[in-house]
């Protein structure tokens, strides 16, 4: 039901159906396929086995995240581990089989749920965990030589596990985290503290996405609502109640003022919907994709206006071209693979191979084989020269703002770079961890560290026995004070009854 014709256009939603029942629906659905597009023949190319990463114990956690993050230097993968959470960090050139005792980042006390590389500093990565903490790690040049247990920064503010982390797209050292306490915290890493709290959700936050300059944040939530939020004030600008299209994931479509969501229809089929970010009363279009049950991950490339849809638990990646005019979504092709994907990492633009006309690169997690498989999306061109039309200026590795500027209300577009001139150039920025003292963390008048729950079972037991000892000590102290009070009362009575006072 709702399957697209092979290599053809998706079925259009009712508003765009032909007016007359006698007109040919097949001709209508195929017509957009023949419009001029330089991306009509984009194809997916899987890397050779020697260029894959093999022997990796990929996490079996069922949390709906990618468990993978990649940049121009490193690949990070959340792994299966006992007694806490850990992830691997592998230099990209170190392909092939990874040894079982390969060093890990293993400082968390609970399962790691999300990891994200700093977009401006190649060797800084953020992780969040079931232990309620967010941590910032600095990976040494050339990768890890031994297990890393000490984080550069430990951020405590959530009262329940933390499921999502996102770096601000244009500002250095601003990090967003979303927890199972239904709150989004905004961290200023220059001071190592949360500076804002967004408290408008009534259930678990499923996804966060920024517009191009980071002035707007959109979220999907288990309460079946899609929200557009002004992050500095926490004000909800737009809200959609998605009862027919149960939203899971959302992505801003660059500067188009559009949002794209993936979710489930009333008939439990996978579905995508396109929205106007300034009016969420009704989606512009809704399209059914297929009847499979796995989550649909959307990825958008603002440079090529291409949308990729990858299903969790299947091996397909569909791709579309997006325009500002009807029919908005034009189906291009589908990459098929028999191996199901658990998650996908995406290479930033400055890490692509422009000489091969590569416009997008996925790193696919194949859990059953313990394999990470690079998949390059390539525009076929005869010439070996730099193709300027498919590589416009793109957001680079320099931040546009400092944390104080952004928190002060300034918005600025990303600093662009050309992929032709020195696109391998690494950022000169260095992360300096602030010196932190143990103190209360007050945001919006609430102390976030007050009564923070234990993060592991052992910690819970330790806290329980500590409290039992404290209760026993207080009871003994109370009993002694009761005895002392009775003694003083008797002495007072004796004084009153003594002959001297008569």
């Amino acid at each position: 039901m709702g399957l697209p014709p092979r290599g053809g256009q998706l079925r259009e939603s009712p508003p765009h159906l032909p007016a007359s029942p006698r007109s040919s629906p097949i001709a209508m659905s195929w017509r957009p396929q023949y419009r001029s597009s330089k991306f009509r023949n984009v194809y997916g190319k899987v890397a050779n086995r020697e260029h894959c990463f093999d022997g990796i114990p990929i996490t079996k956690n069922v949390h709906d995240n990618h468990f993978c993050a990649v940049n121009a230097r490193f690949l990070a993968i959340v792994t299966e581990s006992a007694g806490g959470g850990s992830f691997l960090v592998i230099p990209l050139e170190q392909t092939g089989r990874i040894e079982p005792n390969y060093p890990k980042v293993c400082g968390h006390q609970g399962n790691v749920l999300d990891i994200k590389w700093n977009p401006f500093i190649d060797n800084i990565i953020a992780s969040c965990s079931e232990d309620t903490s967010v941590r910032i790690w600095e990976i040494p040049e050339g990768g890890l030589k031994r297990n890393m247990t000490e984080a550069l920064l430990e951020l405590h503010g959530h009262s329940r596990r933390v499921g999502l982390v996102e770096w601000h797209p244009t500002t250095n050292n601003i990090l967003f985290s979303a927890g199972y306490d239904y709150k989004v915290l905004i961290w200023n890493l220059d001071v190592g503290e949360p500076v804002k709290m967004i408290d408008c959700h009534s259930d678990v936050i499923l996804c966060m996405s920024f517009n191009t300059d980071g002035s707007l944040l959109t979220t999907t939530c288990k309460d079946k609502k899609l929200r557009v939020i002004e992050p500095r004030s926490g004000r909800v600008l737009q809200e959609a109640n998605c009862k027919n299209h149960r939203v899971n994931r959302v992505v801003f479509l660059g500067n188009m003022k559009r949002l794209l969501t993936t979710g489930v229809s009333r008939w439990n089929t996978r579905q995508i919907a396109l929205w106007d970010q300034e009016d969420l009363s009704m989606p512009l279009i809704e399209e059914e994709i297929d009847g499979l049950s796995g989550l649909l991950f959307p990825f958008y490339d603002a440079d090529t206006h291409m949308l990729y849809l990858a299903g969790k638990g299947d091996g397909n990646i569909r791709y579309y071209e997006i325009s500002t005019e009807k029919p908005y979504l034009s189906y291009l092709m589908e990459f098929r693979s028999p191996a199901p994907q658990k998650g996908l990492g995406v290479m930033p633009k400055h890490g692509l191979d422009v000489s091969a006309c590569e416009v997008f690169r996925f790193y696919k997690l194949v859990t059953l084989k313990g394999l990470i498989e690079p998949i390059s999306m390539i525009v076929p061109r005869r010439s070996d020269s730099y193709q300027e039309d498919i590589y416009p200026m793109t957001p680079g590795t320099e931040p546009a703002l400092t944390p104080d500027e952004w928190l002060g209300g300034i918005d600025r577009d990303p600093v662009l770079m050309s992929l032709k001139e020195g696109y391998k150039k690494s950022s000169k920025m260095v992360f300096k961890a602030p010196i932190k003292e143990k103190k209360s963390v007050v945001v919006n008048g609430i102390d976030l560290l007050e009564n923070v729950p234990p993060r592991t079972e052992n910690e819970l037991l330790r806290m329980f026995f500590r409290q039992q000892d404290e209760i026993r000590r207080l009871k003994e102290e109370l009993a002694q004070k009761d005895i002392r009070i009775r003694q003083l009362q008797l002495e007072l009575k004796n004084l009153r009854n003594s002959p001297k006072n008569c």
Side-chain angles (χ1 to χ4, degrees), residues 354-367:
V354 295
S355 63
C357 296
E358 183 183 36
V359 290
F360 215 73
R361 189 191 305 163
F362 293 102
Y363 284 77
K364 172 177 167 176
L365 275 62
V366 186
T367 313

Side-chain angles (χ1 to χ4, degrees), residues 96-316:
R97 188 153 193 87
I98 304 300
E99 294 301 317
N101 57 352
Y102 194 87
K104 294 181 175 73
V105 178
C106 51
H108 280 288
Q109 278 93 41
N111 289 326
V112 175
L113 298 181
D114 198 13
I115 48 176
K116 294 278 166 49
W117 289 105
N118 185 320
F120 309 116
I121 310 175
D122 278 345
N123 64 332
I124 298 293
I125 189 167
S127 63
C128 63
S129 164
E130 288 181 351
D131 66 10
T132 75
S133 74
V134 177
R135 303 192 186 204
I136 310 299
W137 310 86
E138 183 176 26
I139 307 302
E141 291 290 324
L144 299 177
K145 299 293 183 277
R146 62 183 67 85
N147 283 353
M148 180 178 279
T149 55
E150 290 297 316
L152 211 56
L153 255 184
E154 282 188 35
L155 307 173
H156 295 283
H158 288 282
S159 60
R160 296 182 67 189
R161 58 182 170 161
V162 189
L164 295 168
V165 284
E166 289 289 346
W167 295 91
H168 192 274
T170 61
T171 309
N172 189 38
N173 284 350
I174 290 285
L175 182 73
F176 285 61
S177 63
Y180 276 60
D181 52 6
Y182 314 156
K183 293 176 177 60
V184 176
L185 293 183
I186 305 175
W187 303 86
N188 179 357
L189 302 186
D190 279 358
V191 295
E193 300 290 351
V195 286
K196 301 282 179 185
M197 179 170 67
I198 299 171
D199 194 13
C200 59
H201 300 87
S202 59
D203 211 324
V204 176
I205 299 142
L206 301 173
C207 183
M208 298 190 289
S209 177
F210 290 99
N211 64 345
T212 307
D213 65 2
S215 60
L216 295 175
L217 172 73
T218 180
T219 63
T220 57
C221 181
K222 258 192 175 175
D223 63 11
K224 298 177 185 173
K225 288 183 180 176
L226 171 67
R227 294 174 175 88
V228 175
I229 300 163
E230 203 290 308
R232 281 171 294 225
S233 66
R235 191 160 56 94
V236 179
L237 305 178
Q238 288 286 325
E239 186 174 277
N241 206 343
C242 308
K243 288 182 178 173
N244 296 336
H245 166 76
R246 296 197 303 278
V247 289
N248 285 323
R249 289 290 181 274
V250 62
V251 64
F252 262 107
L253 301 181
N255 288 324
M256 286 188 179
K257 297 199 169 178
R258 299 275 193 271
L259 302 172
L260 186 121
T261 58
T262 67
V264 182
S265 73
R266 279 179 293 181
W267 299 279
N268 282 332
T269 55
R270 296 200 290 193
Q271 191 181 47
I272 58 174
L274 188 68
W275 308 77
D276 181 341
Q277 76 179 39
E278 291 170 355
D279 179 14
L280 298 185
S281 56
M282 284 285 288
L284 298 171
I285 56 168
E286 286 179 342
E287 295 285 2
E288 286 176 18
I289 302 299
D290 57 31
L292 298 178
S293 59
L295 189 73
L296 271 179
F297 292 118
F299 303 91
Y300 180 66
D301 181 359
D303 296 346
T304 60
H305 305 300
M306 283 178 68
L307 171 76
Y308 300 86
L309 293 179
K312 183 181 179 181
D314 59 69
N316 304 337

Side-chain angles (χ1 to χ4, degrees), residues 224-471:
K224 298 177 185 173
K225 288 183 180 176
L226 171 67
R227 294 174 175 88
V228 175
I229 300 163
E230 203 290 308
R232 281 171 294 225
S233 66
R235 191 160 56 94
V236 179
L237 305 178
Q238 288 286 325
E239 186 174 277
N241 206 343
C242 308
K243 288 182 178 173
N244 296 336
H245 166 76
R246 296 197 303 278
V247 289
N248 285 323
R249 289 290 181 274
V250 62
V251 64
F252 262 107
L253 301 181
N255 288 324
M256 286 188 179
K257 297 199 169 178
R258 299 275 193 271
L259 302 172
L260 186 121
T261 58
T262 67
V264 182
S265 73
R266 279 179 293 181
W267 299 279
N268 282 332
T269 55
R270 296 200 290 193
Q271 191 181 47
I272 58 174
L274 188 68
W275 308 77
D276 181 341
Q277 76 179 39
E278 291 170 355
D279 179 14
L280 298 185
S281 56
M282 284 285 288
L284 298 171
I285 56 168
E286 286 179 342
E287 295 285 2
E288 286 176 18
I289 302 299
D290 57 31
L292 298 178
S293 59
L295 189 73
L296 271 179
F297 292 118
F299 303 91
Y300 180 66
D301 181 359
D303 296 346
T304 60
H305 305 300
M306 283 178 68
L307 171 76
Y308 300 86
L309 293 179
K312 183 181 179 181
D314 59 69
N316 304 337
I317 302 173
R318 298 171 175 85
Y319 35 108
Y320 306 78
E321 199 165 7
I322 293 189
S323 61
T324 51
E325 297 170 0
K326 292 180 181 177
Y328 304 119
L329 274 171
S330 302
Y331 179 82
L332 294 172
M333 202 82 75
E334 181 173 348
F335 169 82
R336 291 175 177 265
S337 163
Q341 57 227 3
K342 184 180 182 69
L344 293 155
V346 173
M347 174 64 77
K349 277 281 175 168
H350 60 274
L352 299 179
D353 183 359
V354 295
S355 63
C357 296
E358 183 183 36
V359 290
F360 215 73
R361 189 191 305 163
F362 293 102
Y363 284 77
K364 172 177 167 176
L365 275 62
V366 186
T367 313
L368 297 174
K369 299 179 182 176
L371 184 71
I372 312 293
E373 197 174 56
I375 301 168
S376 299
M377 310 308 293
I378 291 172
V379 179
R381 292 282 170 98
R382 289 171 190 260
S383 169
D384 291 335
S385 61
Y386 179 74
Q387 306 292 310
E388 214 151 329
D389 60 325
I390 60 174
Y391 295 116
M393 296 285 281
T394 193
T397 56
E398 299 297 322
L401 295 165
T402 65
D404 290 339
E405 286 173 332
W406 184 76
L407 291 166
I410 300 172
D411 290 317
R412 204 171 285 155
D413 284 331
V415 177
L416 301 181
M417 68 188 288
S418 166
L419 297 186
K420 183 179 183 180
E421 303 296 334
Y423 71 95
K424 292 290 184 189
K425 182 179 72 176
S426 61
S427 171
K428 300 281 192 300
M429 300 200 66
V430 176
F431 182 81
K432 289 182 181 174
I435 298 165
K436 293 180 68 179
E437 296 174 7
K438 294 271 185 183
K439 59 178 181 177
S440 61
V441 176
V442 179
V443 179
N444 298 7
I446 299 166
D447 188 350
L448 298 175
L449 292 186
E450 187 181 10
N451 299 326
V452 172
R455 296 186 286 274
T456 63
E457 195 174 330
N458 286 337
E459 213 170 301
L460 178 67
L461 285 169
R462 280 199 301 273
M463 187 175 281
F464 171 75
F465 290 127
R466 205 158 49 233
Q467 285 179 343
Q468 290 298 305
D469 289 341
E470 181 73 5
I471 290 166

